[in-house]
Amino acid sequence: MTRRKPPPTEDEAALFRDAIGPVRRLPEAATPASRPRPEPRPHMAERDEHEARGEFHAMLGEGRLEAGDSLRYRRDEISPRILRRLARGQYAVQDELDLHSADSAQAEAWLKRFLAEARAGGSACVRIVHGKGRHGDGPPALKNLVDRLLRRRADVLAFHSAPPAQGGTGAVLVLLRPR
């Protein structure tokens, strides 16, 4: 515990003033202004905006699929042999979703719900019919949406465009991770 010195007595203060001599009082100085605080930044909103812009640019970028392009994807843990078997239609399709009548927002919601329900129901292989996209004047929107969403989902192990007898490049077969 530290001890504080008692304040100087009147005699000590007088001795100090005598030793120093006459003093001149300095003018009162204004207190220095503190630096202004920076404006708060909405970091989460900026991050979300950045991610949304990235997705939008990826959607517009050169990775877009055309009407006749085949979809294919596999996770690293899935062997190329399994993807080849999927491409030949050698897995039994246990459920199907047809997105023909949906716009992009509806298709996204339907696809997410369908995959969650299929996986909860124990389905291992499902077919998603997105159409070939030959009626529009540009890349097929639903086909690109399905490709992008399936690649991002952790419960999707692999997918490939269906064989011609099952819809060809207008449908995709999807292998789901077991529950």
Side-chain angles (χ1 to χ4, degrees), residues 72-88 91 157-160 175:
R72 71 176 57 87
Y73 170 80
R74 72 175 173 85
R75 295 208 177 274
D76 292 336
E77 70 236 37
I78 302 300
S79 75
R81 187 176 128 262
I82 291 175
L83 188 64
R84 284 192 301 272
R85 290 185 64 204
L86 185 63
R88 286 187 228 122
Y91 290 98
L157 296 174
F159 61 86
H160 199 288
L175 282 182

Short mmCIF file of all heavy atoms in Angstrom, two decimals, residues 72-88 91 157-160 175:
data_model
loop_
_atom_site.label_atom_id
_atom_site.label_comp_id
_atom_site.label_asym_id
_atom_site.label_seq_id
_atom_site.Cartn_x
_atom_site.Cartn_y
_atom_site.Cartn_z
N ARG A 72 -22.34 -30.97 -64.62
CA ARG A 72 -21.61 -32.03 -63.93
C ARG A 72 -20.81 -31.43 -62.79
O ARG A 72 -20.28 -30.33 -62.90
CB ARG A 72 -20.72 -32.81 -64.87
CG ARG A 72 -19.50 -32.09 -65.37
CD ARG A 72 -18.60 -32.98 -66.23
NE ARG A 72 -19.26 -33.55 -67.37
CZ ARG A 72 -19.36 -32.95 -68.55
NH1 ARG A 72 -18.84 -31.78 -68.74
NH2 ARG A 72 -19.98 -33.54 -69.54
N TYR A 73 -20.80 -32.18 -61.68
CA TYR A 73 -20.07 -31.74 -60.50
C TYR A 73 -19.95 -32.93 -59.56
O TYR A 73 -20.85 -33.75 -59.45
CB TYR A 73 -20.83 -30.61 -59.79
CG TYR A 73 -20.28 -30.25 -58.44
CD1 TYR A 73 -19.17 -29.42 -58.31
CD2 TYR A 73 -20.87 -30.75 -57.28
CE1 TYR A 73 -18.66 -29.09 -57.06
CE2 TYR A 73 -20.37 -30.42 -56.03
CZ TYR A 73 -19.27 -29.60 -55.94
OH TYR A 73 -18.76 -29.28 -54.69
N ARG A 74 -18.81 -33.03 -58.88
CA ARG A 74 -18.65 -34.03 -57.82
C ARG A 74 -17.74 -33.47 -56.75
O ARG A 74 -16.81 -32.72 -57.04
CB ARG A 74 -18.10 -35.34 -58.37
CG ARG A 74 -16.67 -35.29 -58.78
CD ARG A 74 -16.13 -36.66 -59.22
NE ARG A 74 -14.79 -36.52 -59.75
CZ ARG A 74 -13.69 -36.51 -59.02
NH1 ARG A 74 -13.77 -36.68 -57.72
NH2 ARG A 74 -12.51 -36.34 -59.56
N ARG A 75 -18.03 -33.81 -55.54
CA ARG A 75 -17.15 -33.44 -54.42
C ARG A 75 -15.90 -34.30 -54.50
O ARG A 75 -15.90 -35.38 -55.08
CB ARG A 75 -17.86 -33.66 -53.09
CG ARG A 75 -19.04 -32.74 -52.92
CD ARG A 75 -19.29 -32.47 -51.45
NE ARG A 75 -20.39 -31.54 -51.30
CZ ARG A 75 -20.25 -30.23 -51.33
NH1 ARG A 75 -19.07 -29.70 -51.53
NH2 ARG A 75 -21.28 -29.44 -51.19
N ASP A 76 -14.84 -33.83 -53.87
CA ASP A 76 -13.56 -34.56 -53.91
C ASP A 76 -13.67 -35.96 -53.34
O ASP A 76 -12.96 -36.87 -53.78
CB ASP A 76 -12.49 -33.78 -53.13
CG ASP A 76 -12.10 -32.49 -53.83
OD1 ASP A 76 -12.29 -32.41 -55.06
OD2 ASP A 76 -11.61 -31.57 -53.15
N GLU A 77 -14.55 -36.18 -52.36
CA GLU A 77 -14.66 -37.50 -51.74
C GLU A 77 -15.41 -38.50 -52.62
O GLU A 77 -15.44 -39.69 -52.34
CB GLU A 77 -15.35 -37.39 -50.37
CG GLU A 77 -16.82 -37.04 -50.47
CD GLU A 77 -17.20 -35.80 -49.70
OE1 GLU A 77 -16.43 -34.85 -49.67
OE2 GLU A 77 -18.30 -35.81 -49.13
N ILE A 78 -16.01 -38.04 -53.72
CA ILE A 78 -16.76 -38.90 -54.64
C ILE A 78 -15.85 -39.27 -55.80
O ILE A 78 -15.23 -38.41 -56.43
CB ILE A 78 -18.03 -38.20 -55.14
CG1 ILE A 78 -18.93 -37.80 -53.96
CG2 ILE A 78 -18.79 -39.03 -56.15
CD1 ILE A 78 -19.39 -38.96 -53.12
N SER A 79 -15.81 -40.54 -56.12
CA SER A 79 -14.92 -41.00 -57.19
C SER A 79 -15.49 -40.65 -58.57
O SER A 79 -16.72 -40.56 -58.73
CB SER A 79 -14.69 -42.50 -57.09
OG SER A 79 -15.84 -43.20 -57.54
N PRO A 80 -14.63 -40.48 -59.56
CA PRO A 80 -15.11 -40.22 -60.92
C PRO A 80 -15.99 -41.36 -61.45
O PRO A 80 -16.88 -41.14 -62.26
CB PRO A 80 -13.82 -40.10 -61.74
CG PRO A 80 -12.77 -39.73 -60.75
CD PRO A 80 -13.17 -40.38 -59.46
N ARG A 81 -15.76 -42.58 -60.98
CA ARG A 81 -16.57 -43.73 -61.40
C ARG A 81 -18.04 -43.53 -61.01
O ARG A 81 -18.95 -43.83 -61.79
CB ARG A 81 -16.01 -45.00 -60.76
CG ARG A 81 -16.66 -46.26 -61.25
CD ARG A 81 -15.97 -47.49 -60.63
NE ARG A 81 -16.97 -48.33 -60.05
CZ ARG A 81 -17.33 -48.37 -58.77
NH1 ARG A 81 -16.72 -47.62 -57.89
NH2 ARG A 81 -18.27 -49.16 -58.35
N ILE A 82 -18.28 -43.00 -59.84
CA ILE A 82 -19.65 -42.75 -59.39
C ILE A 82 -20.30 -41.69 -60.27
O ILE A 82 -21.47 -41.82 -60.65
CB ILE A 82 -19.68 -42.34 -57.90
CG1 ILE A 82 -19.28 -43.55 -57.04
CG2 ILE A 82 -21.03 -41.79 -57.49
CD1 ILE A 82 -19.15 -43.26 -55.56
N LEU A 83 -19.55 -40.66 -60.63
CA LEU A 83 -20.10 -39.62 -61.51
C LEU A 83 -20.43 -40.20 -62.88
O LEU A 83 -21.46 -39.86 -63.47
CB LEU A 83 -19.11 -38.45 -61.63
CG LEU A 83 -19.64 -37.22 -62.37
CD1 LEU A 83 -20.81 -36.59 -61.62
CD2 LEU A 83 -18.54 -36.20 -62.56
N ARG A 84 -19.60 -41.09 -63.41
CA ARG A 84 -19.89 -41.73 -64.71
C ARG A 84 -21.15 -42.58 -64.63
O ARG A 84 -21.98 -42.58 -65.54
CB ARG A 84 -18.70 -42.58 -65.16
CG ARG A 84 -17.53 -41.77 -65.70
CD ARG A 84 -16.50 -42.64 -66.40
NE ARG A 84 -15.91 -43.66 -65.54
CZ ARG A 84 -14.84 -43.49 -64.76
NH1 ARG A 84 -14.23 -42.32 -64.73
NH2 ARG A 84 -14.39 -44.48 -64.02
N ARG A 85 -21.31 -43.31 -63.52
CA ARG A 85 -22.52 -44.12 -63.34
C ARG A 85 -23.76 -43.23 -63.25
O ARG A 85 -24.81 -43.56 -63.79
CB ARG A 85 -22.41 -44.98 -62.08
CG ARG A 85 -21.39 -46.11 -62.22
CD ARG A 85 -21.39 -47.01 -61.01
NE ARG A 85 -22.68 -47.68 -60.92
CZ ARG A 85 -23.19 -48.17 -59.80
NH1 ARG A 85 -22.52 -48.06 -58.67
NH2 ARG A 85 -24.35 -48.75 -59.78
N LEU A 86 -23.61 -42.09 -62.58
CA LEU A 86 -24.72 -41.15 -62.48
C LEU A 86 -25.08 -40.60 -63.86
O LEU A 86 -26.25 -40.50 -64.22
CB LEU A 86 -24.35 -40.00 -61.53
CG LEU A 86 -25.43 -38.98 -61.20
CD1 LEU A 86 -26.60 -39.63 -60.47
CD2 LEU A 86 -24.84 -37.86 -60.35
N ALA A 87 -24.07 -40.28 -64.67
CA ALA A 87 -24.29 -39.75 -66.02
C ALA A 87 -25.02 -40.76 -66.90
O ALA A 87 -25.79 -40.37 -67.79
CB ALA A 87 -22.95 -39.37 -66.65
N ARG A 88 -24.80 -42.05 -66.68
CA ARG A 88 -25.47 -43.10 -67.47
C ARG A 88 -26.85 -43.43 -66.93
O ARG A 88 -27.55 -44.26 -67.50
CB ARG A 88 -24.61 -44.36 -67.48
CG ARG A 88 -23.39 -44.24 -68.35
CD ARG A 88 -22.66 -45.59 -68.45
NE ARG A 88 -21.25 -45.35 -68.21
CZ ARG A 88 -20.51 -45.90 -67.26
NH1 ARG A 88 -21.03 -46.80 -66.45
NH2 ARG A 88 -19.25 -45.61 -67.13
N TYR A 91 -28.34 -45.02 -61.33
CA TYR A 91 -28.89 -44.93 -59.99
C TYR A 91 -30.40 -44.75 -60.09
O TYR A 91 -30.89 -44.01 -60.96
CB TYR A 91 -28.28 -43.75 -59.22
CG TYR A 91 -26.83 -43.95 -58.85
CD1 TYR A 91 -25.82 -43.40 -59.63
CD2 TYR A 91 -26.48 -44.71 -57.74
CE1 TYR A 91 -24.49 -43.60 -59.32
CE2 TYR A 91 -25.16 -44.91 -57.41
CZ TYR A 91 -24.16 -44.34 -58.20
OH TYR A 91 -22.85 -44.55 -57.88
N LEU A 157 -23.70 -34.47 -53.03
CA LEU A 157 -22.40 -35.12 -53.26
C LEU A 157 -21.95 -34.98 -54.71
O LEU A 157 -20.77 -34.77 -54.97
CB LEU A 157 -22.49 -36.60 -52.89
CG LEU A 157 -22.77 -36.91 -51.43
CD1 LEU A 157 -22.99 -38.40 -51.23
CD2 LEU A 157 -21.64 -36.40 -50.56
N ALA A 158 -22.88 -35.13 -55.64
CA ALA A 158 -22.55 -35.05 -57.06
C ALA A 158 -23.83 -34.83 -57.84
O ALA A 158 -24.92 -35.13 -57.37
CB ALA A 158 -21.88 -36.35 -57.52
N PHE A 159 -23.66 -34.27 -59.06
CA PHE A 159 -24.80 -34.17 -59.97
C PHE A 159 -24.29 -34.19 -61.40
O PHE A 159 -23.13 -33.86 -61.67
CB PHE A 159 -25.68 -32.95 -59.70
CG PHE A 159 -25.00 -31.61 -59.83
CD1 PHE A 159 -24.92 -30.98 -61.06
CD2 PHE A 159 -24.48 -30.97 -58.72
CE1 PHE A 159 -24.33 -29.73 -61.18
CE2 PHE A 159 -23.89 -29.73 -58.83
CZ PHE A 159 -23.80 -29.11 -60.06
N HIS A 160 -25.17 -34.63 -62.30
CA HIS A 160 -24.83 -34.71 -63.72
C HIS A 160 -26.12 -34.58 -64.52
O HIS A 160 -27.18 -35.02 -64.07
CB HIS A 160 -24.15 -36.05 -64.04
CG HIS A 160 -23.38 -36.03 -65.31
ND1 HIS A 160 -23.98 -36.00 -66.54
CD2 HIS A 160 -22.04 -36.01 -65.54
CE1 HIS A 160 -23.05 -35.96 -67.48
NE2 HIS A 160 -21.86 -35.98 -66.89
N LEU A 175 -27.04 -36.81 -56.53
CA LEU A 175 -26.78 -37.74 -55.43
C LEU A 175 -26.71 -36.94 -54.14
O LEU A 175 -25.96 -35.97 -54.05
CB LEU A 175 -25.45 -38.47 -55.64
CG LEU A 175 -25.41 -39.62 -56.62
CD1 LEU A 175 -24.03 -40.24 -56.66
CD2 LEU A 175 -26.45 -40.67 -56.30
#
